[in-house]
Amino acid sequence: MKSNKGFTLAELVIVLSLLGIVLTGIISFLGYSIDVFGDTRARTVVQDDVSNALKLIASDIRSASKPDLTIRSIMVYKGSNASDRGDRIDIYDYKDNKYSLVSYKYDDKVLYRGVKEADKLEDIIGNTGVDYSVFLKGIIYPTETDLFEDITTNPGSDRRTIRINLIAEDKEGKINKPVVITATYTSRSKGMP
């Protein structure tokens, strides 16, 4: 009598082939999970960056005040021309006996922020001499609208309602679709000095 204690070559080939198919499926599933995790993490980082940027912009808009009878508390510009929609916003304020201008402008996928303070209103009007620094990178200019929109329903009002349309992508290109956030803020109604 012969004892059959081993596997035949055919049995081993079949088992190894099935094991290879199962391992390929597991590795593919794990690779997909890692990709999804990386996309989710990158998207979360971009959303946090945009949310933090919007908090500061909202704070600036809410503190805006009309500096004199002729200038709005918030001005939106398309290029260098005042408009209701555009790529730059100037926010005026007066506190602690100083005039201040906070300006945001878009240029080549970057949103810049500049601040200037002065004792006299004339020194900040017209956005001259504002030193800008990088505020938020990876901004895509909206195609169907503009970055900043003054949607105030009463043009003579001291209160301004501003819509901000931010579309941001991550710096490493890990997310498939950019993050799109639209927010609307209203300035407080505060009198002139």
Side-chain angles (χ1 to χ4, degrees):
M1 285 184 66
K2 214 180 192 185
S3 166
N4 290 335
K5 292 188 178 186
F7 295 105
T8 66
L9 183 60
E11 290 172 330
L12 283 175
V13 169
I14 291 171
V15 168
L16 289 175
S17 298
L18 290 174
L19 184 62
I21 292 170
V22 170
L23 286 176
T24 301
I26 290 171
I27 289 171
S28 296
F29 177 74
L30 289 176
Y32 175 75
S33 298
I34 290 170
D35 288 344
V36 168
F37 174 75
D39 182 66
T40 303
R41 184 179 174 286
R43 182 171 292 284
T44 301
V45 167
V46 172
Q47 286 174 336
D48 284 347
D49 289 347
V50 171
S51 293
N52 290 335
L54 283 174
K55 284 178 187 174
L56 184 57
I57 296 171
S59 174
D60 290 334
I61 289 173
R62 289 185 180 128
S63 69
S65 62
K66 193 170 180 173
D68 71 3
L69 293 173
T70 61
I71 299 172
R72 294 181 186 168
S73 57
I74 300 174
M75 299 287 293
V76 177
Y77 293 87
K78 183 82 168 185
S80 61
N81 300 321
S83 176
D84 288 337
R85 309 161 68 114
D87 56 3
R88 189 182 102 208
I89 185 171
D90 288 352
I91 304 165
Y92 295 96
D93 194 11
Y94 180 80
K95 61 184 166 201
D96 301 328
N97 295 323
K98 284 206 177 270
Y99 292 95
S100 67
L101 167 68
V102 177
S103 182
Y104 295 91
K105 72 175 182 176
Y106 172 86
D107 186 32
D108 195 28
K109 291 193 172 192
V110 178
L111 186 62
Y112 294 90
R113 181 177 191 265
V115 178
K116 184 174 183 181
E117 290 186 344
D119 293 327
K120 293 187 267 181
L121 178 61
E122 301 82 42
D123 294 337
I124 63 169
I125 299 298
N127 193 313
T128 56
V130 175
D131 290 326
Y132 287 95
S133 59
V134 173
F135 183 63
L136 189 60
K137 291 183 179 180
I139 299 298
I140 301 169
Y141 201 86
T143 55
E144 297 172 9
T145 183
D146 283 294
L147 198 59
F148 303 107
E149 296 179 271
D150 187 341
I151 57 170
T152 306
T153 54
N154 179 1
S157 172
D158 289 345
R159 293 177 64 111
R160 309 309 302 165
T161 302
I162 305 297
R163 178 181 296 139
I164 302 168
N165 304 298
L166 282 180
I167 303 172
E169 59 188 2
D170 67 316
K171 297 161 193 88
E172 292 88 32
K174 292 182 180 177
I175 59 175
N176 298 330
K177 294 182 181 178
V179 173
V180 179
I181 297 179
T182 299
T184 304
Y185 303 106
T186 301
S187 66
R188 65 182 171 171
S189 180
K190 185 169 107 175
M192 295 166 286

